Amino acid sequence: MAQRPEILTTREMRAVEGAAIGSGSVTGPALMERAGAGVLHEMLALWPEFERPGHAVILCGPGNNGGDGYVVARLLAERGWQVRLAALAPPATPDAQLAAACWQGEVAALSALGPQDFPPGSLCVDALFGTGLVRPLAPEIAAALRLAAVRGCRIVAVDILSGLCADSGRVLGGLDLPRAALTVSFQRAKLGHVLAQGGTLGGTLRIVDIGINGWMAAAGEPARFAGPLPALAKRAGHKYDHGHALVLGGGPGRGGAARLAAGAALRVGAGLVTLACPPEALAENAARLDAVMLRPVSDRAGLEQLLGDPRFNALGLGPGLGLDRARDLVPAVLAAGRAALLDADALTAFAGAPDALLDALHPRAVLTPHGGEFARLFPDLAQRLEAPAETGPAFSRLDAARQAADRAGCVVLLKGPDTVIAAPGGEARIAAAVGEAAAPWLATAGAGDVLSGIVAGLLARGFAPLEAAATGAWLHAEAARDFGPGLIAEDLPERIPAVLRRLGC
């Protein structure tokens, strides 16, 4: 459970490379050689059948990404491959020019390629633009990639699939891009590998170490992958040493969501969990719960009385709460100043007047909206995400979450396959259930309620808001991956013990 790896922007990666080269410890051409060799290594590791020489088309751009392509072409040719190299333009950087000079084969124009150049079963290496792209691909360039896909070639993207914004994962210009089979990037993943369409179009992602870890501090404070923390391991002690989560539920017939949340909070290790519901819903909940305790709470006055017990150290509300009940109870929850998870109805209840909620929030709160709920609270940010991405760096889900967190003054978890978690000031985590880590089974009713409970339970255990949200999002997806197809929300809390056991917790 070591510190999770950084996820870099284009600017951050360039700063790291620049610091490494500026130190005199490594040169640009040396990094290019390592990158090209890394691409070849990852291709052969993923597809061992390519140890036997085949046919490859290498598409090279004019920048250093194209230089990586020239290195890949040379290394494949040295292994006996038939290599067709097509360049969009002559190399324009000194490092790319040096790599091109070492290529002894023919260089065709990209426009000269036709179907005959892409025999089925061959490789197509996309080394056109990489992370440097800031404008949509020209139609003829996108057409070359689509031709490779139509002809049954496996597309290998060097650094990132051309056409994707490396800082947002969005397709610039809204073009129809084919899916890469493999993306090989260097030293660290980039935001565009895991956000938006990048998480799908990039295929299998592999990160090659090119030997510049020692200069990672030049990146500043980038986002990191979410993941397990040592604090997940439950220490010895009394149940009250592990917190008491209070989950607020709705009226009769609406209790399932809160029960899912309460059960998840208990499974993730909260010492005690109480579900507070209207008196008329007590019987229904009592019939379905055992380890979760019950308390009647009719209204704000009743909740304020209950919160006189300081042992309730984390509050979770929203799932199945009801809009009127949410408008009544949320102010009391936030006025208490305790760690609080707000989701679903606790957010939607303030759609008509989001400032009434935002002004009451405090740094110990966590908001967990899905896209629709996010748009109700932060309509301007949602509109920027929906607007076409015409130039890069395009506005990203990470940008949106960071700005929302600054505005709210608390942690914001923006749900999705590329769940983004941000704290005021910019510290951020990404729980990416994409690519090989995809968990499509989470697209089921009640899954978000379970996430709410997991985060509330971690808050009760004493996790800081950012780490409760990030670790909870990772654990939620990991439980889904552990179960697999056929998952329903009730299955998720029951898979948490298996995940924790694998972690040695």
Side-chain angles (χ1 to χ4, degrees), residues 247-251 254-262 275-276 316-322 325-326 341-347 368 373 415 446-453:
V247 175
L248 302 179
R254 298 177 57 89
R259 288 193 295 271
L260 285 169
L275 193 156
L317 70 162
L321 190 61
R325 187 165 164 82
L341 181 289
L342 278 68
D343 185 27
D345 290 345
L347 306 178
T368 58
E373 293 157 351
K415 297 176 189 173
D449 306 324
V450 175
L451 174 60
S452 295

Side-chain angles (χ1 to χ4, degrees), residues 77-385:
E78 289 172 356
R79 296 177 67 92
W81 281 64
Q82 297 179 28
V83 178
R84 174 77 156 151
L85 191 150
L88 177 63
T93 69
D95 293 348
Q97 290 166 356
L98 181 59
C102 295
W103 166 246
Q104 301 300 311
E106 177 186 354
V107 177
L110 189 70
S111 58
L113 295 178
Q116 70 280 358
D117 294 301
F118 298 94
S122 61
L123 280 175
C124 175
V125 176
D126 168 20
L128 288 165
F129 291 106
T131 61
L133 188 69
V134 295
R135 63 185 185 277
L137 290 184
E140 62 270 19
I141 301 173
L145 292 172
R146 286 196 294 270
L147 177 60
V150 168
R151 293 288 292 166
C153 299
R154 294 184 226 191
I155 297 175
V156 177
V158 178
D159 227 352
I160 195 166
L161 179 68
S162 293
L164 288 172
C165 169
D167 288 345
S168 69
R170 302 174 69 183
V171 178
L172 295 178
L175 295 174
D176 178 23
L177 293 180
R179 181 179 182 273
L182 170 66
T183 294
V184 182
S185 195
F186 311 111
Q187 212 59 45
R188 292 292 188 272
K190 314 306 181 295
L191 291 172
H193 294 142
V194 296
L195 296 178
Q197 295 103 312
T200 300
L201 293 176
T204 298
L205 175 64
R206 294 290 182 266
I207 305 299
V208 170
D209 186 342
I210 55 172
I212 55 176
N213 264 343
W215 294 271
M216 198 56 59
E221 294 294 334
R224 291 181 179 273
F225 282 106
L229 295 175
L232 274 175
K234 196 168 182 179
R235 66 187 188 281
H238 189 272
K239 59 190 175 185
Y240 280 107
D241 294 335
H242 302 287
H244 191 164
L246 179 66
V247 175
L248 302 179
R254 298 177 57 89
R259 288 193 295 271
L260 285 169
L266 202 57
R267 281 291 188 193
V268 83
L272 303 94
V273 177
T274 292
L275 193 156
C277 63
E280 58 271 25
L282 281 172
E284 172 191 322
N285 286 312
R288 302 291 303 276
L289 297 171
D290 292 312
V292 173
M293 297 179 289
L294 291 170
R295 295 289 292 271
V297 168
S298 298
D299 53 22
R300 178 172 180 169
L303 176 59
E304 289 172 341
Q305 182 178 1
L306 186 61
L307 291 179
D309 184 345
R311 293 177 296 183
F312 292 116
N313 67 322
L315 312 176
L317 70 162
L321 190 61
L323 299 182
D324 290 340
R325 187 165 164 82
R327 281 186 283 267
D328 185 38
L329 299 184
V330 167
V333 166
L334 295 176
R338 301 177 201 181
L341 181 289
L342 278 68
D343 185 27
D345 290 345
L347 306 178
T348 300
F350 297 89
D355 287 346
L357 173 64
L358 300 180
D359 291 345
L361 291 165
H362 56 74
R364 301 186 68 195
V366 177
L367 310 184
T368 58
H370 57 53
E373 293 157 351
F374 186 87
R376 294 173 198 129
L377 293 180
F378 309 101
D380 57 323
L381 301 180
Q383 287 171 6
R384 290 187 66 185
L385 282 177

